[in-house]
Coordinates of all heavy atoms in Angstrom, one line a residue:
Chain I
R55 N 2.1 -9.5 4.4 CA 3.2 -9.9 3.6 C 2.8 -10.7 2.3 O 3.3 -10.5 1.2 CB 4.2 -10.9 4.4 CG 4.8 -10.2 5.6 CD 5.6 -9.0 5.2 NE 5.3 -8.0 6.2 CZ 6.1 -7.1 6.6 NH1 7.4 -7.1 6.2 NH2 5.7 -6.2 7.5
I73 N -0.7 1.6 -19.3 CA 0.1 2.1 -20.5 C -0.5 1.7 -21.8 O -0.6 2.5 -22.7 CB 1.6 1.7 -20.4 CG1 2.3 2.4 -19.2 CG2 2.3 1.9 -21.7 CD1 3.7 1.9 -18.9
K78 N -6.5 5.4 -25.9 CA -7.5 4.6 -26.5 C -9.0 5.1 -26.3 O -9.2 5.5 -25.1 CB -7.4 3.2 -26.0 CG -6.3 2.4 -26.5 CD -6.7 1.0 -26.8 CE -5.7 0.2 -27.7 NZ -4.3 0.5 -27.5
H80 N -13.1 4.9 -25.7 CA -13.9 4.1 -24.8 C -14.0 2.6 -25.3 O -13.8 1.7 -24.6 CB -15.2 4.7 -24.5 CG -16.1 3.9 -23.6 ND1 -17.2 3.2 -24.0 CD2 -15.9 3.7 -22.2 CE1 -17.7 2.6 -22.9 NE2 -17.0 2.9 -21.8
M107 N -4.1 -2.6 1.8 CA -4.2 -1.2 2.3 C -5.0 -1.1 3.5 O -4.7 -0.3 4.4 CB -4.7 -0.3 1.2 CG -6.2 -0.3 0.9 SD -6.6 0.9 -0.4 CE -8.3 1.2 0.0
D117 N -1.2 2.8 15.7 CA 0.0 3.6 16.2 C -0.3 5.0 16.7 O 0.2 5.4 17.7 CB 1.0 3.7 15.0 CG 1.9 2.5 14.9 OD1 1.7 1.5 15.7 OD2 2.7 2.4 13.9
Y118 N -1.3 5.7 16.0 CA -1.4 7.1 16.3 C -2.7 7.4 17.1 O -2.7 8.5 17.7 CB -1.4 7.9 15.0 CG -0.1 7.7 14.2 CD1 -0.1 7.5 12.9 CD2 1.2 7.8 14.9 CE1 1.1 7.3 12.2 CE2 2.3 7.7 14.2 CZ 2.3 7.4 12.8 OH 3.5 7.3 12.2
N132 N -12.0 2.4 8.4 CA -11.0 1.9 7.5 C -11.5 0.6 6.8 O -11.3 0.5 5.6 CB -9.7 1.6 8.3 CG -8.6 1.0 7.4 OD1 -8.4 1.5 6.4 ND2 -8.0 0.0 7.9
K149 N -18.9 -5.4 -14.7 CA -19.8 -4.8 -15.6 C -19.2 -4.5 -17.0 O -19.8 -4.8 -18.1 CB -20.3 -3.4 -15.1 CG -21.4 -2.7 -15.9 CD -22.1 -1.7 -15.2 CE -23.3 -1.1 -16.0 NZ -22.8 -0.2 -17.0
Chain C
R33 N 5.6 4.7 4.9 CA 4.3 4.9 5.6 C 3.6 6.0 4.8 O 2.4 5.8 4.6 CB 4.5 5.3 7.0 CG 3.3 5.6 7.8 CD 3.4 5.4 9.3 NE 3.2 4.0 9.6 CZ 3.0 3.5 10.8 NH1 3.0 4.3 11.8 NH2 2.9 2.2 11.0
Y40 N -3.3 4.5 -0.6 CA -4.7 4.3 0.0 C -5.7 5.2 -0.7 O -6.7 4.8 -1.1 CB -4.6 4.6 1.5 CG -5.8 4.2 2.3 CD1 -5.9 3.0 2.9 CD2 -6.8 5.1 2.6 CE1 -7.0 2.6 3.7 CE2 -7.9 4.8 3.4 CZ -8.0 3.6 4.0 OH -9.0 3.3 4.8
T43 N -6.2 4.5 -4.6 CA -7.1 3.4 -4.9 C -8.4 3.9 -5.3 O -9.1 3.4 -6.2 CB -7.2 2.3 -3.8 OG1 -5.9 2.0 -3.4 CG2 -7.9 1.1 -4.3
A53 N -15.2 4.0 -16.9 CA -15.2 3.1 -18.0 C -16.4 2.2 -18.1 O -17.0 1.9 -19.2 CB -13.9 2.2 -17.9
A54 N -17.0 1.8 -16.9 CA -18.2 1.0 -16.9 C -19.4 1.8 -17.2 O -20.4 1.2 -17.6 CB -18.3 0.3 -15.5
Y60 N -16.2 8.1 -19.6 CA -14.8 7.8 -19.8 C -14.1 8.9 -20.5 O -12.9 9.2 -20.1 CB -14.8 6.5 -20.7 CG -13.4 5.9 -20.7 CD1 -12.8 5.3 -19.6 CD2 -12.6 5.9 -21.9 CE1 -11.6 4.7 -19.6 CE2 -11.3 5.4 -21.9 CZ -10.8 4.8 -20.7 OH -9.6 4.2 -20.7
Q64 N -10.7 10.7 -19.1 CA -9.6 10.8 -19.9 C -9.1 12.2 -20.0 O -7.9 12.5 -20.0 CB -9.8 10.3 -21.3 CG -9.5 8.8 -21.5 CD -9.6 8.3 -22.9 OE1 -10.6 8.7 -23.6 NE2 -8.7 7.6 -23.4
D97 N 12.8 -9.4 6.2 CA 11.9 -10.5 6.7 C 12.7 -11.8 6.6 O 12.5 -12.7 7.4 CB 10.6 -10.6 6.0 CG 9.7 -9.4 6.3 OD1 9.9 -8.7 7.3 OD2 8.8 -9.1 5.5
R132 N 4.6 6.5 -26.7 CA 3.9 5.5 -27.6 C 2.7 6.2 -28.3 O 2.4 7.3 -28.0 CB 3.4 4.3 -26.8 CG 2.6 4.5 -25.6 CD 2.4 3.2 -24.9 NE 1.8 2.2 -25.8 CZ 0.5 2.2 -26.1 NH1 -0.3 3.2 -25.6 NH2 0.0 1.3 -26.9

Side-chain angles (χ1 to χ4, degrees):
Chain I
R55 299 302 135 146
I73 288 174
K78 284 221 165 33
H80 181 253
M107 76 182 206
D117 278 355
Y118 300 133
N132 174 48
K149 183 162 186 285
Chain C
R33 175 154 283 190
Y40 188 92
T43 310
Y60 193 68
Q64 269 187 315
D97 290 343
R132 57 185 303 284

